[in-house]
Amino acid sequence: MIFQLDPDYPYFPNPLDVPESDREEDSLFAVGGDLSPERLVAAYSYGIFPWTDFTLLDVPEGEREWWNQLHWHCPYDRFVIFPDEIHVSHSLRTRLNKGDYVTTFDTAFDKVIDGCSKLRIDQPGAWLGSQMVEAYTKLHKIGVAHSVEVWNNGELIGGLYGVMVNGVFCGESMFSLKPDASKVALVALAHRLQKMGAKMIDCQFETPHLRSMGGRNIPLSEYLNIMNSEQKD
């Protein structure tokens, strides 16, 4: 079941109300709408996020108008990292102890999202186009989207950005120009969230990189229970 969103109503159906037999295998949940801050916050509150392929290389011409709409995904099996479960390997700990990588928060959001965009825009299925960059930059300006920067000798060498909703950091993208830079960013984020009493990092999809750092799968029902629970002090 794929929902067609009302362009004038920036909200979403509850994904848990969709019967298992009607859930899409590729996690596509809805199409249409816009990337307004109101709609994005509503989406993340339900574990939904935009993930759009602007290339349309293999789509028949008659179907391009439908596929060219915004696509919203909601995996029912969520891959997350709990801040207190972040795994730091021996080699990564050695990197951290060297002290040559310096991390900051929210000091160069534009540069981080630009770095993520440049590394992915030429890849098949790349989603981080100009309208996405603009939308998340707006969220950053109102204090909803955040970045972690990793520097080496004053040069930005990696980082990540995402959206903070109800004590959950929904990671969107990361990039790395030197060894371990994105891992250092993730460790710094986890430690910061742990101090804040935040609940979890939503990785959206599983990768070997994220699993090696302590990621694990939980069902969407558990994910939304955590999302809607009272945040720790």
Side-chain angles (χ1 to χ4, degrees):
M1 178 182 294
I2 301 174
F3 293 95
Q4 179 70 53
L5 298 180
D6 185 335
D8 299 318
Y9 186 66
Y11 300 103
F12 292 81
N14 187 333
L16 296 181
D17 290 340
V18 179
E20 282 194 40
S21 59
D22 292 336
R23 297 174 183 177
E24 300 294 321
E25 291 185 6
D26 64 357
S27 80
L28 182 60
F29 182 76
V31 297
D34 57 19
L35 291 170
S36 66
E38 294 81 8
R39 193 182 298 272
L40 283 168
V41 170
Y44 283 105
S45 298
Y46 274 123
I48 301 165
F49 54 88
W51 192 39
T52 300
D53 180 356
F54 291 103
T55 60
L56 302 177
L57 296 178
D58 300 320
V59 178
E61 187 172 349
E63 299 179 16
R64 291 190 179 189
E65 183 177 353
W66 189 88
W67 281 100
N68 201 36
Q69 299 181 90
L70 285 167
H71 287 194
W72 301 85
H73 286 256
C74 183
Y76 282 84
D77 190 26
R78 304 308 288 248
F79 197 73
V80 305
I81 296 176
F82 292 95
D84 61 351
E85 294 181 3
I86 189 76
H87 174 70
V88 181
S89 66
H90 176 74
S91 60
L92 182 55
R93 192 172 299 280
T94 300
R95 166 68 67 189
L96 293 168
N97 289 338
K98 286 178 67 176
D100 55 345
Y101 286 5
V102 176
T103 56
T104 57
F105 299 88
D106 288 330
T107 64
F109 184 89
D110 291 347
K111 291 182 179 180
V112 169
I113 199 169
D114 183 61
C116 293
S117 176
K118 286 179 177 177
L119 285 186
R120 302 186 64 163
I121 199 65
D122 293 328
Q123 299 176 11
W127 57 270
L128 195 49
S130 59
Q131 63 174 307
M132 288 284 193
V133 171
E134 180 181 358
Y136 286 101
T137 301
K138 286 181 179 178
L139 284 183
H140 175 65
K141 289 179 178 178
I142 63 173
V144 177
H146 302 277
S147 61
V148 182
E149 303 86 25
V150 181
W151 309 85
N152 178 234
N153 295 324
E155 175 190 359
L156 183 67
I157 59 167
L160 61 82
Y161 78 95
V163 175
M164 192 77 173
V165 178
N166 296 342
V168 175
F169 186 90
C170 305
E172 276 300 318
S173 189
M174 58 176 59
F175 79 103
S176 184
L177 300 180
K178 289 192 176 182
D180 297 327
S182 61
K183 292 181 179 180
V184 169
L186 186 58
V187 170
L189 173 66
H191 289 168
R192 186 178 181 89
L193 294 178
Q194 191 172 5
K195 290 178 181 178
M196 293 168 54
K199 302 168 186 176
M200 64 183 170
I201 302 169
D202 177 12
C203 304
Q204 298 179 348
F205 295 105
E206 178 180 349
T207 68
H209 167 81
L210 293 171
R211 179 167 286 282
S212 72
M213 298 194 69
R216 57 186 172 97
N217 290 293
I218 63 172
L220 181 63
S221 56
E222 181 179 348
Y223 175 98
L224 291 180
N225 281 337
I226 294 171
M227 172 73 78
N228 295 314
S229 65
E230 290 292 329
Q231 187 172 349
K232 300 175 184 178
D233 293 332

